[in-house]
C-alpha cells in the first residue's frame, strides 16, 4: 500500500543523549500496533537500537528508520542518537524530516545536546514540537523544564499544549488544554481514559487554551477576524491555525510524556497526524547549484535523494532515500545526476529498524530503502531519465579530533584500509587521510567515542586489529640568519670516481628581498614548495667554476634536504640559496655528485644559520556554560594557550584562544570530562609559530635518537 503525500509525516526524534528517544519510538510503534510488545533499551530489544554495538552500550549510535500507521497516515520515524559525536545522523535525519520531535528529560531540563540540536533545527528551518519526557521520574521538574525551554527557544513561540497533573512516581494524568480533556492512564500505560478536567484545574487549562487560540489566530487574517467576532475558534479552525503556525515555525508546541511507562505517545502521534506538516506543506526543496526549487508533487518527474548509505553483510549497499518528487515504482530506472549512471531500483522497502518490508510504490514525500545500487552514494540525487537535478547536499560538521592508525602487521594493513574505506563511505563525518607529510594514516572524527566505535567495528565486524597512536605534528624548519658553506663530494673507489664541490650562501627568504650586493646573480628561480613556503634558488657562478648544466642537480639536492629537514626531518620553508662557487672534474663530475654535494652543503649551512623549528598553531573557539569556564581556562594554561578573548554568547560563555596543535591531542575528551559535556569547541589552523627553545632542543634530540636507532 502506498501513501499519498498529504498522508505522510516524516518525524525525527531528537534530543540530548538519554532523554528517551529510543524508548519513545518503541511506544509509538506499539501504540500504532506495529509491534506487539514494547522492547526496552535495558533489555536490548528495541526496534531502533538493533545493532550489537548499540545493544551492548545501551544507547543509539546510528539514525534508525521506522514507520507506523496512524489513522490514514504513515508516520516515518527516524530515531537519532543524542550523543554529539554522532551529530551526522541528526543532520541526515533533519534533511528528510518535516517535523522535529525534540525530547527533553524532565529531570535535567535543557541540556547541551538540546541546544546543539536546536541550532540544527534552526538551520534546517524544521517545524518542531517539544516533548518533556520522563515526567514519572522522582526528580522530574516539568515547570522548571518549561521555563528553560521558553527562555532558550522563544518565550512567544513555545506553546504548551498539556501539563502533567503531578510528576514523579504517581504520574498517570495529563491535562490536555488543546482538547480541554484530561487523560488518565492505566498502570501499564497505553490507552488513557478521557475524563473532564476537574474544577481545580479548569482555570489553568482554559488560560493555556486561550493562549493557543490567540496564537493560532495570529497568523491568519480570516481566523483573526472570526476570533474577534466570535471570541473563540471552532476545533477545526484552531487546528488549521496551529497547522499553519507550526509549519512556519511561529509556534513550537510542548507535550509531556513518560515513555518508559508508555504514557503520552499516542496523543502526540494523534497531533502529528492531525496538525503537523506533511511533506507537501513544506517549502519547495532547495537544489544544488541552482536557484530553482522543487515542489513535493507526486505527479512530477521522479527525483530521489539518498540521505544515508550503509553496508550490510550478505546484502551489500543499503540506500536510504526520500522521494522528493514524483512516484517511485519498483524496477524504475533512474539516472544519478552525480555520475550520469543508470540505477535500477529493483526492490523497494519500508523499514522497521533492521527489518524491511517490500512495497511496490512510494510517492513524493515518502522515505524508503533500496539495496544493490551500483554507484550511488549519500548526497546523490537520482531522477527520471532526462531530468538533471540535484537536491541540495547535506553539509556535515567538520571533524574535531584526529588520531593516527596502525595495523598489527604488514599483512593486516591492506585489510585495515579496505575496512576503513568502507566505514568512511557510510559515515560522512569521518575522514580518512594518508598523510604524506606525517607518513601516517590519520582518522579525523567527531570525538573520542566516535573513533573508539570505529575501532570496535573494525575489530569486531571486520576482524582486523587496529591501534590508535598519537599523530605526528607537522613541524616546519627554517633559519633566522645567513651562513656561507661549502662541501666537496669526492669518491674514488674502483672504476669511475665522483666529484662535485659546491659553495653556497643560505639566508632566510622574504618576498622582495634585495639581491646580495657582493654576488652577481645570473639566474633566479623562486619555487613554491608543495608543503607551503618558498625556495629562492639563485645561480651566481662567474667564470664557469660549475657548469650551469649541473644547476638542476644542485637544486634537487637542496630540495631533498628541505623535504627532510636537518633538525627533525620536517619540511623546510622560506630559504634563499645562492650558489656562488665550486669545482668540477672533467671526468668524474656528474649530476649525482653535485646533488650530494649540494645537499650536504645545505645541511651544514642550515645548522649554522640560526635554525628554528616552527609548529602549527590552532585557533580555538570554545562555547561553555558559566560554571565550567574556570576549569576550562585553567586547563588551557597548561597547554601553552594564549587567551584571545572572552565573551558571553546567549546562555554560554565563548572563549577564543590559540594553542599549539601539539598540546591539543585528545582535547575534545578532556573538554568533555572537564565540563561534564557542557562545552563544545571548534579548532582551525591559524599559523606556524616558533617552538620554545627548550622544546626545540628536546625535539631535535628525540629525532637524533630515532635516527641512531633506525
Ligand atoms: N523514568 C524514566 N526513564 C526513562 C524514560 N524514557 C526513557 N527512560 C530511560 O532512560 C534511559 C535512556 O533511554 P533511551 O530511550 O535509550 O534514550 P535515548 O534518548 O534514545 O538516548 P541516546 O540514544 O543515547 O540518545 C533508559 O534507561 C530508559 O529506560 C521515562 O519516560 N521515564
Ligand atoms: Mg536512543
Amino acid at each position: 500500500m502506498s501513501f499519498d503525500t498529504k498522508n505522510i509525516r516524516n518525524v525525527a526524534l531528537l534530543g540530548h543523549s538519554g532523554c528517551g528517544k529510543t524508548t519513545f519510538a518503541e511506544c509509538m510503534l506499539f501504540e500504532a500496533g506495529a509491534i506487539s510488545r514494547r522492547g526496552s533499551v535495558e533489555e536490548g530489544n528495541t526496534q531502533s537500537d538493533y545493532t550489537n554495538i548499540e545493544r551492548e552500550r545501551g544507547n543509539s549510535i546510528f539514525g534508525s528508520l521506522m514507520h507506523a500507521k496512524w489513522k490514514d497516515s504513515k508516520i516515518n520515524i527516524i530515531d537519532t542518537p543524542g550523543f554529539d559525536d554522532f551529530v551526522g545522523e541528526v543532520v541526515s535525519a533533519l534533511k528528510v524530516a518535516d517535523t522535529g520531535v525534540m525530547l527533553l528529560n524532565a529531570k535535567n531540563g535543557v541540556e547541551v545536546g538540546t541546544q546543539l540540536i536546536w541550532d540544527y533545527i534552526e538551520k534546517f528551518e524544521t517545524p518542531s514540537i517539544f516533548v518533556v519526557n520522563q515526567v514519572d521520574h522522582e526528580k522530574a521538574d516539568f515547570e522548571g523544564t518549561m521555563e528553560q525551554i521558553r527562555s532558550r527557544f522563544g518565550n512567544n513561540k513555545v506553546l504548551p499544549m498539556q501539563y502533567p497533573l503531578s510528576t514523579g512516581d504517581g504520574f498517570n494524568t495529563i491535562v490536555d488544554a488543546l482538547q480541554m480533556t484530561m487523560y488518565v492512564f492505566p498502570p501499564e500505560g497505553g490507552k488513557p481514559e478521557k475524563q473532564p478536567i476537574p474544577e481545580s484545574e479548569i482555570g489553568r487549562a482554559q488560560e493555556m487554551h486561550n493562549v493557543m487560540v490567540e496564537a493560532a489566530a495570529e497568523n491568519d487574517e480570516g481566523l483573526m477576524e472570526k476570533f474577534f467576532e466570535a471570541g473563540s475558534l471552532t476545533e477545526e479552525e484552531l487546528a488549521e491555525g496551529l497547522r499553519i503556525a507550526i509549519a512556519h515555525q511561529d509556534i513550537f508546541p510542548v507535550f509531556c510524556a513518560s515513555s518508559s511507562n508508555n504514557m503520552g505517545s499516542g496523543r502526540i502521534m494523534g497531533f502529528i497526524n492531525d496538525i503537523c506538516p506533511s511533506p507537501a506543506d513544506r517549502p519547495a526543496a532547495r537544489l544544488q547549484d541552482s536557484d530553482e526549487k522543487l515542489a513535493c508533487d507526486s505527479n512530477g518527474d521522479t527525483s530521489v535523494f539518498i540521505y544515508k548509505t550503509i553496508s550490510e553483510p550478505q546484502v551489500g549497499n543499503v540506500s536510504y532515500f526520500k522521494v522528493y518528487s514524483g512516484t517511485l515504482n519498483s524496477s524504475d530506472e533512474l539516472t544519478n545526476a552525480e555520475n550520469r549512471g543508470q540505477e535500477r531500483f529493483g526492490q523497494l522497502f519500508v523499514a522497521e529498524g533492521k527489518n524491511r518490508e517490500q512495497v511496490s510504490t512510494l510517492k513524493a514525500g515518502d522515505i524508503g530503502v533500496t539495496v544493490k545500487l551500483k554507484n550511488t552514494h549519500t548526497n546523490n540525487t537520482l531522477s527520471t531519465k532526462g531530468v538533471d537535478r540535484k537536491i541540495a547536499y547535506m553539509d556535515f560538521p567538520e571533524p574535531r579530533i584526529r588520531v593516527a592508525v596502525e595495523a598489527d602487521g604488514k599483512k593486516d594493513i591492506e585489510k585495515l584500509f579496505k575496512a576503513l574505506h568502507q566505514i568512511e563511505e557510510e559515515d560522512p563525518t569521518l575522514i580518512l587521510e594518508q598523510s604524506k607529510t606525517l607518513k601516517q594514516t590519520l582518522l579525523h572524527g567527531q570525538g573520542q567515542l566516535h573513533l573508539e566505535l570505529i575501532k570496535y567495528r573494525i575489530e569486531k565486524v571486520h576482524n582486523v586489529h587496529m591501534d590508535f597512536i598519537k599523530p605526528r605534528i607537522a613541524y616546519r624548519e627554517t633559519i633566522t640568519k645567513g651562513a656561507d658553506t661549502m662541501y666537496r663530494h669526492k669518491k674514488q673507489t674502483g672504476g669511475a670516481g665522483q666529484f662535485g664541490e659546491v659553495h653556497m650562501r643560505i639566508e632566510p627568504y622574504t618576498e622582495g628581498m634585495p639581491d646580495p650586493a657582493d654576488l652577481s646573480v645570473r639566474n633566479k628561480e623562486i619555487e613554491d614548495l608543495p608543503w607551503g613556503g618558498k625556495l629562492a634558488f639563485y645561480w651566481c657562478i662567474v667564470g664557469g667554476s660549475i657548469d650551469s648544466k649541473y644547476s638542476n642537480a644542485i637544486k634537487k639536492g637542496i630540495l631533498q634536504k628541505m623535504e627532510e629537514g636537518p633538525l627533525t626531518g620536517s619540511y623546510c620553508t622560506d630559504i634563499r640559496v645562492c650558489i656562488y662557487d665550486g669545482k668540477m672534474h672533467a671526468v668524474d663530475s656528474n649530476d649525482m655528485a653535485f646533488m650530494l654535494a649540494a645537499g650536504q652543503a645545505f645541511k651544514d649551512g642550515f645548522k649554522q644559520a640560526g635554525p628554528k623549528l616552527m609548529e602549527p598553531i590552532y585557533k580555538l573557539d570554545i562555547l561553555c556554560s558559566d560554571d565550567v569556564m574556570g576549569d576550562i581556562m585553567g586547563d588551557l594554561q597548561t597547554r601553552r594557550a594564549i587567551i584571545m578573548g572572552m565573551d558571553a554568547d546567549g546562555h554560554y560563555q565563548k572563549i577564543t584562544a590559540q594553542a599549539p596543535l601539539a598540546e591539543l591531542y585528545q582535547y575534545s575528551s578532556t573538554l568533555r570530562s572537564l565540563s561534564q559535556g557542557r562545552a563544545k569547541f571548534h579548532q582551525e589552523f591559524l599559523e606556524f609559530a616558533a617552538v620554545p627553545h627548550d622544546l626545540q632542543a628536546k625535539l631535535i634530540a628525540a629525532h637524533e635518537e630515532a635516527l641512531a636507532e633506525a
Side-chain angles (χ1 to χ4, degrees):
M1 177 178 176
S2 75
F3 287 80
D4 287 337
T5 306
K6 69 175 176 17
N7 291 336
I8 294 166
R9 303 287 179 273
N10 296 314
V11 304
L13 302 183
L14 308 159
H16 190 92
S17 186
C19 62
K21 300 173 289 295
T22 301
T23 313
F24 189 76
E26 205 69 8
C27 294
M28 292 175 88
L29 297 177
F30 181 74
E31 286 304 289
I35 52 174
S36 55
R37 184 174 172 271
R38 278 193 305 128
S40 75
V41 175
E42 283 73 15
E43 288 170 74
N45 56 357
T46 57
Q47 296 296 310
S48 167
D49 289 356
Y50 64 85
T51 62
N52 288 341
I53 181 169
E54 289 173 306
R55 293 194 162 168
E56 228 171 77
R57 294 182 39 90
N59 61 4
S60 310
I61 292 165
F62 307 104
S64 166
L65 174 66
M66 293 155 285
H67 74 283
K69 295 177 187 119
W70 195 267
K71 294 189 192 160
D72 299 329
S73 297
K74 176 190 181 202
I75 305 182
N76 289 315
I77 304 160
I78 304 178
D79 177 25
T80 66
F83 210 79
D84 76 345
D85 278 30
F86 312 117
V87 67
E89 301 284 352
V90 171
V91 171
S92 55
L94 278 172
K95 173 75 180 172
V96 295
D98 302 302
T99 300
V101 177
M102 175 82 97
L103 280 89
L104 293 103
N105 181 338
K107 177 167 61 99
N108 301 340
V110 172
E111 300 178 74
V112 181
T114 327
Q115 182 72 52
L116 287 177
I117 294 162
W118 184 258
D119 295 344
Y120 280 105
I121 288 182
E122 290 199 317
K123 189 170 156 212
F124 281 90
E125 300 181 338
T126 311
S128 295
I129 65 176
F130 290 100
V131 176
V132 180
N133 189 38
Q134 309 214 17
V135 285
D136 63 284
H137 197 281
E138 56 177 9
K139 293 201 177 129
D141 178 3
F142 179 78
E143 297 308 328
T145 302
M146 267 317 301
E147 217 23 69
Q148 290 184 11
I149 300 177
R150 276 208 192 88
S151 78
R152 297 289 175 97
F153 309 128
N155 254 323
N156 305 323
K157 294 191 166 190
V158 172
L159 197 65
M161 301 277 127
Q162 326 173 308
Y163 62 91
L165 199 56
S166 66
T167 57
D169 210 15
F171 164 76
N172 70 345
T173 306
I174 294 176
V175 177
D176 192 301
L178 176 56
Q179 295 185 329
M180 288 304 284
T181 302
M182 191 166 80
Y183 292 111
V184 182
F185 292 88
E188 72 282 6
K191 205 170 162 47
E193 189 188 319
K194 280 189 181 181
Q195 290 184 11
I197 298 176
E199 206 57 36
S200 55
E201 297 298 324
I202 209 89
R204 178 176 178 193
Q206 190 61 53
E207 203 175 303
M208 272 170 78
H209 187 83
N210 293 347
V211 176
M212 259 176 244
V213 173
E214 275 180 48
E218 203 160 282
N219 290 287
D220 187 301
E221 271 183 31
L223 286 180
M224 197 56 143
E225 267 173 35
K226 279 190 187 159
F227 176 60
F228 278 124
E229 273 167 28
S232 69
L233 295 178
T234 65
E235 218 176 298
E236 289 77 46
E237 288 166 347
L238 174 57
E240 183 55 21
L242 290 178
R243 180 176 303 119
I244 295 168
I246 291 173
H248 291 143
Q249 299 119 68
D250 288 328
I251 61 166
F252 301 104
V254 189
F255 294 84
C256 55
S258 158
S259 9
S260 51
N261 297 342
N262 189 22
M263 296 177 186
S265 61
R267 171 76 187 103
I268 294 166
M269 287 174 88
F271 187 86
I272 290 170
N273 174 73
D274 297 344
I275 297 192
C276 287
S278 83
D281 299 325
R282 298 294 309 286
R286 284 193 307 114
L287 300 183
Q288 188 71 28
D289 310 323
S290 160
D291 292 333
E292 279 177 42
K293 299 265 171 77
L294 178 64
C296 185
D297 174 5
S298 55
N299 295 316
D301 294 319
T302 306
S303 279
V304 163
F305 176 79
I306 310 291
Y307 74 89
K308 183 182 168 76
T309 314
I310 60 169
S311 171
E312 270 182 18
Q314 274 96 47
V315 181
N317 272 356
V318 181
S319 309
Y320 289 77
F321 60 84
K322 182 176 186 182
V323 183
Y324 270 74
S325 150
T327 298
L328 180 67
N329 295 303
S330 58
S331 79
D332 271 0
E333 206 167 81
L334 301 182
T335 309
N336 185 329
E338 218 60 51
N339 53 29
R340 313 308 307 163
Q342 297 292 312
E343 293 279 12
R344 211 177 128 81
F345 282 64
Q347 293 172 304
L348 301 182
F349 302 94
V350 290
E352 204 69 277
K354 82 163 178 258
N355 301 317
R356 290 190 279 269
E357 188 189 315
Q358 204 168 336
V359 294
S360 57
T361 302
L362 291 166
K363 291 190 178 163
D366 214 342
I367 295 177
V369 189
T370 192
V371 293
K372 297 197 171 31
L373 296 182
K374 293 185 305 256
N375 192 13
T376 287
H377 309 279
T378 301
N379 260 336
N380 289 177
T381 300
L382 300 103
S383 299
T384 317
K385 213 172 177 175
V387 176
D388 187 15
R389 149 196 307 156
K390 290 181 191 167
I391 304 294
Y393 298 146
M394 300 175 279
D395 288 329
F396 290 98
E398 299 275 317
R400 289 176 284 180
I401 166 174
R402 52 176 216 149
V403 285
V405 297
E406 266 185 356
D408 226 3
K410 277 232 161 67
K411 75 175 188 344
D412 269 359
I413 286 181
E414 215 169 291
K415 264 168 89 182
L416 174 63
F417 286 152
K418 208 170 148 227
L420 284 172
H421 273 300
Q422 189 185 322
I423 295 180
E424 192 192 24
E425 272 276 296
E426 293 177 27
D427 181 350
T429 63
L430 178 77
I431 294 172
L432 179 63
E433 182 202 358
Q434 301 270 22
S435 169
K436 237 187 105 203
T437 324
L438 304 179
K439 299 179 188 75
Q440 282 182 318
T441 300
L442 301 178
L443 273 187
H444 302 259
Q446 296 298 321
Q448 199 67 28
L449 182 60
H450 186 206
L451 295 178
E452 287 299 336
L453 287 173
I454 283 156
K455 181 172 158 72
Y456 176 102
R457 283 171 74 188
I458 292 283
E459 297 193 335
K460 286 268 161 67
V461 183
H462 298 269
N463 268 322
V464 198
H465 178 75
M466 160 168 109
D467 280 318
F468 285 154
I469 55 171
K470 197 170 169 173
R472 296 191 182 107
I473 300 293
Y475 293 103
R476 295 282 186 271
E477 300 182 11
T478 193
I479 50 177
T480 55
K481 58 181 192 192
D484 284 79
T485 166
M486 65 78 70
Y487 190 82
R488 176 183 299 170
H489 176 76
K490 188 173 172 190
K491 232 177 188 174
Q492 217 97 48
T493 41
Q498 282 194 25
F499 184 89
E501 183 177 314
V502 179
H503 296 226
M504 64 173 70
R505 175 175 305 162
I506 74 172
E507 296 153 290
Y509 170 77
T510 49
E511 210 173 306
M513 68 195 290
D515 285 352
D518 57 335
L519 301 176
S520 69
V521 180
R522 298 300 170 94
N523 189 33
K524 290 190 214 181
E525 290 171 60
I526 316 269
E527 290 229 2
D528 284 323
L529 300 165
W531 50 87
K534 303 214 192 261
L535 164 66
F537 183 72
Y538 285 23
W539 190 253
C540 313
I541 298 287
V542 275
S545 56
I546 308 176
D547 194 316
S548 61
K549 74 178 180 192
Y550 293 122
S551 89
N552 268 339
I554 290 172
K555 192 170 79 186
K556 201 163 159 200
I558 292 166
L559 276 169
Q560 270 179 4
K561 290 294 170 216
M562 289 186 81
E563 192 168 348
E564 213 148 303
L567 298 182
T568 61
S570 311
Y571 291 128
C572 299
T573 56
D574 298 327
I575 295 174
R576 177 165 79 180
V577 180
C578 299
I579 310 296
Y580 59 82
D581 202 1
K583 280 199 182 78
M584 49 182 184
H585 185 277
V587 182
D588 292 346
S589 279
N590 54 31
D591 278 354
M592 179 57 79
F594 274 106
M595 202 172 88
L596 293 171
Q600 195 55 45
F602 177 85
K603 193 172 164 184
D604 294 346
F606 191 95
K607 290 187 172 167
Q608 299 157 31
K612 176 167 81 164
L613 200 57
M614 314 277 283
E615 63 181 338
I617 304 291
Y618 274 65
K619 176 171 179 271
L620 290 178
D621 288 310
I622 303 167
L623 265 191
C624 63
S625 57
D626 281 339
D627 52 337
V628 295
M629 179 146 156
D631 289 345
I632 291 175
M633 298 279 274
D635 172 73
L636 282 173
Q637 309 292 341
T638 69
R639 294 175 187 272
R640 296 194 278 131
I642 302 170
I643 310 290
M644 309 303 291
M646 284 178 288
D647 222 351
D649 178 2
H651 295 268
Y652 289 92
Q653 294 295 326
K654 189 174 170 187
I655 306 171
T656 316
Q658 37 180 275
L661 181 64
E663 303 289 340
L664 293 175
Y665 182 54
Q666 298 195 329
Y667 184 61
S668 74
S669 308
T670 310
L671 190 65
R672 183 185 302 283
S673 62
L674 272 178
S675 68
Q676 299 96 49
R678 294 200 294 279
K680 65 171 184 170
F681 86 111
H682 174 79
Q683 69 177 40
E684 202 176 289
F685 172 73
L686 186 68
E687 60 184 9
F688 279 97
V691 170
H693 278 304
D694 50 337
L695 194 57
Q696 172 165 331
K698 267 191 209 156
L699 288 165
I700 293 172
H703 178 68
E704 273 162 13
E705 207 171 292
L707 283 182
E709 272 174 22

